[in-house]
Amino acid sequence: MESITDSIDPRTPLINDRRFAFSRQPSFHQQQQPHSPISIDLNNNAASRRSFLTRTDSSIDIPPNRGDHHHHHHYWSSHDDNDDDDDEKFSKSIRGSSSFVLSVFRSVRSGHRYMKRLFLMISLNVAYSSAELLIGLFTGRVGLVSDAFHLTFGCGLLTFSLFVMAASRKKPDRGYTYGYKRLEVLSAFTNALFLLFMSFSLAVEALHAFIQDESEHKHYLIVSAVTNLLVNLIGVWFFRNYARINLAYRNAEDMNHHSVFLHVLSDSIRSAGLILASWLLSIGVQNAEVLCLGLVSGAVFMLVLPLFRATGGILLQTAPPSIPTTALSKCLRQIAAREDVAEVSQARFWELVPGQVVGSLSIQVKEGVDDRSILAFVHGLYHDLGVQDLTVQTDAA
């Protein structure tokens, strides 16, 4: 085997440093049209049967004064140049961040109705939570301050959802070749995780009230709960089209909108539970707060759990729920049963976003077999199954 390591004298000035790089023959990749695989030239001559490991060379030009220690130090380590570069990088990052924020605001202004509705609802929640925080600080009501911080954190999550709605409209680029649609899944998962934490905190609060036998409710929170309920009911009305628990998500946008609806619905249920507990305590019902908080905790948990499982499954790249695992196994058996296929391995299928299934597998074909018919068969098989983006790698057995 030919050696590719050249001995280089480190004392010799390098004007033209020649390195070697390996490139592997690319595998077949069909992006959007599985029924029309690309053409692969497989002639019988020896020139077309290149090895998978080939050698190419590239040249790197080094400045001629590289051997001079003084110039080399000035070229790489000048403090003035480093300071100028740092300032330039910092100014570029500031300009890039400001332009990106402005583009997001322009997207909100020119966006669809759900973006505008969410912006209005966030504005109402911010105004209400700010007023509640100021009143709680001036009157010394710890309950109002605590509720204001809870609403502020919820507004932050809703703002992130709004930001994702605008950012996900960007087209794929070199950094994000699949696009930004998966941000909507991440936003929905964040909302679901927050609501599960809220359910757990309500259960702990109910348990604490039961242990301490706190039968006296803070009646000044009734006004706060009623106002919060009215604000959240506006959000429920805005996103009423997603008023389902087990919603069939057609795309990532549906998942994000559903998470916003569940967020405002859970806050509405929490406010209604506090109002009901205050009324029951006023008529003399014992442990009413424990009962209401427990019911609210269980209701929020049952509402959010399906969304949490769906978003978590996509982020963990589990098998797509839209395609039965038995169907995927049947396709693998059909491919392996072909006479020109030696082995099928590394079959992986997952959902990039709801409604877009991605897959990849490796096939070893028998010696001297034209793999174009195999590729056409495999892509047609999985396309009929619902896999939109499939990558197939073929190797000679």
Side-chain angles (χ1 to χ4, degrees):
M1 181 177 180
E2 180 185 0
S3 175
I4 62 170
T5 304
D6 297 335
S7 60
I8 301 176
D9 189 358
R11 296 170 297 178
T12 304
L14 299 179
I15 304 302
N16 189 15
D17 185 14
R18 303 187 66 82
R19 310 280 176 94
F20 295 106
F22 287 105
S23 63
R24 184 175 177 85
Q25 190 176 17
S27 60
F28 179 81
H29 184 198
Q30 176 67 23
Q31 179 67 23
Q32 295 293 337
Q33 297 179 356
H35 278 297
S36 301
I38 61 175
S39 177
I40 301 176
D41 189 11
L42 294 176
N43 297 325
N44 294 325
N45 52 8
S48 63
R49 297 184 179 274
R50 288 178 288 180
S51 60
F52 281 92
L53 196 62
T54 59
R55 188 181 72 176
T56 60
D57 63 318
S58 61
S59 61
I60 302 175
D61 295 332
I62 306 298
N65 58 353
R66 184 177 182 272
D68 191 345
H69 177 72
H70 174 72
H71 292 286
H72 173 72
H73 177 76
H74 179 74
Y75 182 79
W76 293 104
S77 303
S78 175
H79 295 288
D80 296 334
D81 291 343
N82 288 337
D83 293 339
D84 294 339
D85 292 341
D86 293 340
D87 293 339
E88 185 178 357
K89 291 179 180 179
F90 180 74
S91 61
K92 286 183 178 180
S93 63
I94 292 297
R95 288 195 300 268
S97 301
S98 59
S99 63
F100 183 74
V101 172
L102 290 177
S103 66
V104 169
F105 277 107
R106 285 194 296 267
S107 299
V108 172
R109 292 182 59 185
S110 62
H112 48 74
R113 58 178 181 175
Y114 288 110
M115 294 176 63
K116 297 177 180 179
R117 289 176 178 180
L118 182 57
F119 180 77
L120 177 60
M121 189 178 64
I122 292 173
S123 302
L124 292 175
N125 274 281
V126 168
Y128 169 68
S129 61
S130 301
E132 188 179 31
L133 178 62
L134 292 176
I135 294 175
L137 291 176
F138 280 111
T139 60
R141 302 290 188 180
V142 181
L144 292 178
V145 175
S146 176
D147 189 65
F149 276 109
H150 168 80
L151 292 177
T152 302
F153 191 74
C155 288
L157 290 177
L158 294 178
T159 304
F160 178 65
S161 298
L162 180 63
F163 166 80
V164 164
M165 289 180 187
S168 62
R169 302 172 68 184
K170 296 181 62 178
K171 296 181 179 180
D173 51 29
R174 294 181 179 179
Y176 296 88
T177 55
Y178 277 107
Y180 296 81
K181 286 296 183 180
R182 219 176 201 192
L183 281 175
E184 306 243 33
V185 181
L186 179 62
S187 174
F189 177 79
T190 306
N191 274 310
L193 189 64
F194 168 74
L195 295 177
L196 287 179
F197 176 77
M198 186 182 76
S199 173
F200 176 75
S201 64
L202 289 174
V204 172
E205 187 176 353
L207 181 62
H208 179 267
F210 177 75
I211 294 175
Q212 298 294 329
D213 193 17
E214 296 179 354
S215 59
E216 182 179 357
H217 195 69
K218 301 177 179 63
H219 297 281
Y220 63 87
L221 289 177
I222 298 179
V223 178
S224 173
V226 171
T227 309
N228 191 18
L229 177 61
L230 294 177
V231 172
N232 285 311
L233 285 179
I234 296 175
V236 171
W237 174 254
F238 282 165
F239 290 86
R240 63 187 181 276
N241 292 334
Y242 297 91
R244 297 181 183 90
I245 299 177
N246 293 311
L247 184 65
Y249 305 110
R250 297 169 298 177
N251 47 48
E253 192 177 60
D254 288 345
M255 186 170 282
N256 192 18
H257 292 171
H258 189 215
S259 71
V260 173
F261 170 78
L262 291 180
H263 188 125
V264 294
L265 180 63
S266 299
D267 277 343
S268 301
I269 295 175
R270 174 177 172 270
S271 300
L274 292 176
I275 296 172
L276 180 62
S278 299
W279 178 74
L280 291 177
L281 286 173
S282 64
I283 62 176
V285 178
Q286 298 295 325
N287 294 325
E289 184 178 6
V290 177
L291 177 62
C292 292
L293 289 177
L295 292 176
V296 171
S297 175
V300 172
F301 182 82
M302 296 300 295
L303 284 173
V304 179
L305 187 60
L307 177 64
F308 179 77
R309 295 179 60 183
T311 54
I314 292 178
L315 294 177
L316 292 175
Q317 298 189 166
T318 57
S322 59
I323 302 177
T325 56
T326 55
L328 294 174
S329 301
K330 182 179 179 180
C331 290
L332 291 177
R333 288 195 300 268
Q334 291 181 7
I335 298 172
R338 289 176 61 98
E339 296 180 355
D340 48 4
V341 173
E343 184 182 4
V344 181
S345 61
Q346 299 180 6
R348 300 181 178 93
F349 298 92
W350 67 94
E351 268 191 326
L352 180 67
V353 292
Q356 184 176 355
V357 180
V358 181
S360 66
L361 71 157
S362 177
I363 300 177
Q364 287 190 357
V365 299
K366 295 182 180 180
E367 189 68 26
V369 174
D370 187 357
D371 59 356
R372 286 177 293 183
S373 61
I374 302 176
L375 294 175
F377 173 77
V378 171
H379 278 273
L381 195 64
Y382 282 104
H383 182 269
D384 295 337
L385 197 60
V387 179
Q388 292 88 357
D389 191 348
L390 181 64
T391 302
V392 179
Q393 177 180 343
T394 59
D395 297 314

